Amino acid sequence: MMRFFVTQLENLLLLAIGFALGWYLVTALPRQITVGSFPNWLVAVALATVLLAIGGRFVFDGTFQGLGIGLMLSSSGAATLLIYEVIR
């Protein structure tokens, strides 16, 4: 019973870390990086695409599934909000 509890706590911690890391990388990092004459939103979407690939790899590989789910949710959510702001 205790082993199951510890495993669930580890998964929740990895989920929170993945969510925070993905959100930071998509929202804050593109403002600090300049890639040629690309706008910030394009760099953010490129980072979100890379994070989706990495998160998918973690989930389907079976290692660090919580981290992968957090990365995929936060990066896709942040990229969606950024694209919505650009379109609006």
Side-chain angles (χ1 to χ4, degrees):
M1 180 69 177
M2 188 64 174
R3 184 175 180 180
F4 176 75
F5 182 68
V6 169
T7 302
Q8 293 305 317
L9 283 178
E10 288 173 352
N11 286 335
L12 284 175
L13 182 65
L14 283 172
L15 180 70
I17 290 170
F19 195 82
L21 182 66
W23 193 267
Y24 171 75
L25 289 176
V26 174
T27 57
L29 195 62
R31 294 183 188 138
Q32 300 171 2
I33 299 173
T34 303
V35 179
S37 61
F38 293 150
N40 288 340
W41 66 268
L42 189 59
V43 175
V45 170
L47 280 172
T49 304
V50 169
L51 288 176
L52 280 172
I54 292 170
R57 177 68 182 197
F58 283 150
V59 169
F60 293 112
D61 190 30
T63 57
F64 300 113
Q65 288 182 346
L67 181 69
I69 291 169
L71 282 175
M72 290 190 313
L73 288 176
S74 64
S75 61
S76 62
T80 302
L81 290 175
L82 286 172
I83 291 173
Y84 176 73
E85 289 293 321
V86 169
I87 292 172
R88 193 173 72 138

